[in-house]
Amino acid sequence: MRNTKRKIALITGVSSERDIGTAICRKLASKEIDIFFTHWLSEVGWADTFQKELLEVGVRCESLSVDLSHANAANLLLDATSTNLGFPSILVNNAAHSTSDGYLNLNAKTLDDHYAVNMRTTFLLCTEYARRFEKLKMNTGRIINMTSGQELGPMPNELAYVATKGAISAFTKSLSVEVAHLGVTVNAVNPGPTDSTWMTEEIRKHILPKFLLGRIGMPEDAARLVAFLASDDAEWITGQVIHSEGGFYRG
């Protein structure tokens, strides 16, 4: 394990130019935080190009192509980060699995596929991070989980996604109590509908009037909030699910 005085962040789910995860990496790198990111099924060569971009900012950067549905993914990621950069003081669980279903199509495989990424690996990353943090006797840690505001309103035809992502909010609140004595804060961010890889022009036209601030959310909006929660200024914030949606109106 290499020692460094600079903060190190582990960010999952960084697989394309328009990802929220990509914006988070850029924002944290701009704060002189070293980056380890994961990607999966990205375009050939994209991850290498993005890694080079972050290196040119002046931070250290490593990445790993990994299927987060594997049961041992959490240990693999923390081992790889620690070996290549050092143990991270910041963990951002951004990766998500999502496919449309609805009650007519929901089945065991769909549920299991969502559970493996959205819940199992996210939760195991959080808990294994906390265990290693305690053994290393570190002073300050940040866990930031990305959710999607499932408890604020219905998301028809996304039953497996809603169930598994919604569980992150409850998990975040309870874990924050268990690890507070370690100096680790645990929060979740709901960025609201964000113009990233999933949004079409039809969807944009439909939801734009629902944003009270007059525009659709961008990945950079989420990245700014994550960067704040990862900073020293956010040391007094834990156990929160922060809905940063630009006034998105569900009525």
Side-chain angles (χ1 to χ4, degrees):
M1 185 182 298
R2 301 176 185 175
N3 293 319
T4 177
K5 293 182 179 180
R6 277 216 297 227
K7 292 181 180 179
I8 300 165
L10 167 58
I11 304 104
T12 65
V14 183
S15 296
S16 79
E17 182 63 24
R18 295 172 58 202
D19 277 343
I20 289 177
T22 302
I24 292 172
C25 287
R26 286 185 173 126
K27 188 64 176 178
L28 294 181
S30 76
K31 304 291 185 181
E32 299 184 338
I33 296 172
D34 293 331
I35 303 295
F36 191 103
F37 70 89
T38 76
H39 57 96
W40 182 245
L41 301 179
S42 57
E43 292 184 7
V44 176
W46 180 84
D48 291 337
T49 300
F50 183 56
Q51 182 175 343
K52 182 180 178 181
E53 174 191 326
L54 295 182
L55 289 170
E56 290 174 349
V57 172
V59 300
R60 297 184 302 158
C61 181
E62 297 286 345
S63 67
L64 183 67
S65 176
V66 58
D67 182 353
L68 295 179
S69 68
H70 289 172
N72 196 43
N75 285 309
L76 176 66
L77 282 182
L78 289 169
D79 287 346
T81 306
S82 297
T83 298
N84 287 281
L85 296 179
F87 189 77
S89 58
I90 301 162
L91 169 63
V92 182
N93 282 302
N94 171 70
H97 177 79
S98 176
T99 60
S100 297
D101 45 63
Y103 80 96
L104 292 175
N105 299 312
L106 188 65
N107 55 40
K109 184 179 186 308
T110 299
L111 281 169
D112 288 347
D113 289 347
H114 282 75
Y115 159 78
V117 176
N118 297 345
M119 292 174 62
R120 185 175 66 192
T121 291
T122 294
F123 297 169
L124 291 178
L125 265 172
C126 289
T127 52
E128 182 61 21
Y129 172 89
R131 288 191 288 264
R132 296 189 187 197
F133 183 97
E134 185 171 19
K135 287 181 180 179
L136 291 169
K137 300 185 185 303
M138 297 177 67
N139 295 321
T140 303
R142 301 281 188 266
I143 297 175
I144 303 162
N145 298 320
M146 303 302 292
T147 184
S148 302
Q150 281 75 20
E151 72 274 26
L152 300 179
M155 294 178 66
N157 301 314
E158 297 281 357
L159 294 176
Y161 181 73
V162 165
T164 53
K165 289 290 283 185
I168 292 173
S169 296
F171 182 87
T172 294
K173 294 175 182 178
S174 291
L175 180 65
S176 70
V177 176
E178 292 194 29
V179 301
H181 72 284
L182 300 177
V184 176
T185 65
V186 189
N187 295 289
V189 170
N190 161 34
T194 301
D195 194 353
S196 55
T197 55
W198 65 278
M199 198 171 287
T200 64
E201 190 60 34
E202 182 180 0
I203 293 174
R204 291 185 188 97
K205 290 180 180 179
H206 174 70
I207 67 173
L208 178 58
K210 297 177 179 289
F211 284 91
L212 301 184
L213 291 182
R215 66 171 177 84
I216 296 173
M218 300 299 293
E220 292 75 17
D221 295 314
R224 283 191 290 270
L225 178 53
V226 169
F228 170 69
L229 291 173
S231 73
D232 294 339
D233 288 339
E235 66 177 358
W236 201 238
I237 303 172
T238 195
Q240 303 303 305
V241 180
I242 301 175
H243 303 291
S244 178
E245 300 185 309
F248 183 69
Y249 179 65
R250 290 173 169 78

